[in-house]
Amino acid sequence: MIEKNMQKNSYQAELFENRLKKRYKELRKWARKNRISCYRLYDRDIPEIPLSLDIYEFLPSDVTTTLECARFLSEQNARITANDPTIEKEIEERRFAVLYLYERPYEKPAEEEEIWFNLMAEKAADVLNIPVSHIVKKERKQQKGTNQYEKIEEEYNAFTGFVQEQGQLFKIDLQSYLDTGLFFDHRPLRSKIRDISGGKRVLNLFCYTGSFSVYASQGGAKYVESLDLSNTYLTWAKENLEQNGFKGKNYVFTKTDVISWLYEKVKTSSDDEKQKFDIIILDPPTFSNSKSTANVLDINRDWPKLIEQCIKLLTPEGKLYFSTNSTKLIFDKEKIPQKDKVSVTDITQLSIPKDFEGTKCHKAWEIKLIG
């Protein structure tokens, strides 16, 4: 039996390695061309290998502004083009990866599971040409409530730093939480927000670490308000904005229960267009029952009322961008109370990035007020 398991593990490790090599060759060129230093390399492509692998290439510690980042990337690309023999080694030293293990289709004793997981981590390290110590292993099992945002007690090395994404800088923490501070799958939607934010008032609900807020600010938004219930993530969001050069009274961070805030804001701003927003980003968790609020959020149940309140806060011709990672949510425009006052466009396919092609990472809609 032991020998049979070893053979099976070796076979799966070979499949995993071959798949990684193919994807890495393809995505690495794409990422560099598009100024992306963190992306998903593997996402449960092979059913019997239920793993996800994310790559992060940290910036050097002395690159702390977007201007320095632009200069650094230009110099790095020039060295790569010139086949500088030292550049790849420098990049490898700053490259890390997070390997997520999902539920496997069959139960395995913990010891066997660990052996299998370690073997896959070794193969990932070989393909990426980095030490195994640069692979952070995490288990992404079904989460309830706010578990996905709670601190992980296991001890890893302090894998923290800044990455760049299409010119913006983001703080990454590979150690402390299940998620690391940046959701890759919304990269195209962030770009869209940047493109349309010039001179706009932007509201980012359930903002997490503020990536949408950074993009909106980079796009020239005149006012950006970011809401979250977590002090930790609001502080992180503020750091991300300041790292990109955005601070002052036009960038507001509000610690609050988003649901309660929406209802109260609708009451106070119903007759005041100056308090309303041109763009609202609504990307809520699927489920949340935080101890900090009496409200229990179930997005599969609550999405119509959230959208209803957001629409009330839009300026004429304003736009709401609603997205969800829930595979169970069934969107039906007829459930929106203001259905006759809005146009709804499913933008899911347009918002899926190259490194998530073929997956159901999220669903997204653009909801606009009409005449």
Side-chain angles (χ1 to χ4, degrees), residues 202-208 210 212-214 223-228 234 237-238 241 251-256:
V202 179
L203 177 63
N204 185 9
L205 304 170
F206 303 98
C207 73
Y208 186 42
F212 276 108
S213 301
V214 170
Y223 177 85
V224 180
E225 185 164 1
S226 307
L227 272 63
D228 205 281
L234 280 176
K238 185 177 182 181
L241 265 83
Y251 308 100
V252 176
F253 305 87
T254 304
K255 180 187 182 300
T256 186

Side-chain angles (χ1 to χ4, degrees), residues 192-204 212-213 215-225 250-251 273-281 314-319 321 368:
K192 181 176 180 63
I193 294 298
R194 179 178 58 188
D195 292 343
I196 65 173
S197 289
K200 307 293 187 182
R201 283 175 53 86
V202 179
L203 177 63
N204 185 9
F212 276 108
S213 301
Y215 270 76
S217 301
Q218 187 67 44
K222 66 179 180 180
Y223 177 85
V224 180
E225 185 164 1
N250 294 329
Y251 308 100
E273 291 296 323
K274 293 182 179 180
Q275 291 192 50
K276 294 187 177 181
F277 298 88
D278 304 295
I279 299 171
I280 299 178
I281 300 117
L314 286 174
T315 58
E317 300 182 1
K319 297 178 181 179
Y321 291 91
K368 297 192 294 184

Side-chain angles (χ1 to χ4, degrees), residues 80-97:
I80 292 172
T81 302
N83 294 316
D84 184 332
T86 64
I87 184 61
E88 288 301 333
K89 184 63 177 177
E90 291 178 16
I91 294 174
E92 288 162 10
E93 290 174 352
R94 300 192 307 272
R95 184 181 303 133
F96 295 83

Side-chain angles (χ1 to χ4, degrees), residues 11 70 96 117-118 131 147 204 207 215 227 231 349 354 369:
Y11 172 69
F96 295 83
F117 201 9
N118 288 339
N147 290 351
N204 185 9
C207 73
Y215 270 76
L227 272 63
N231 266 328
Q349 291 307 312
K354 184 176 179 62
L369 281 178

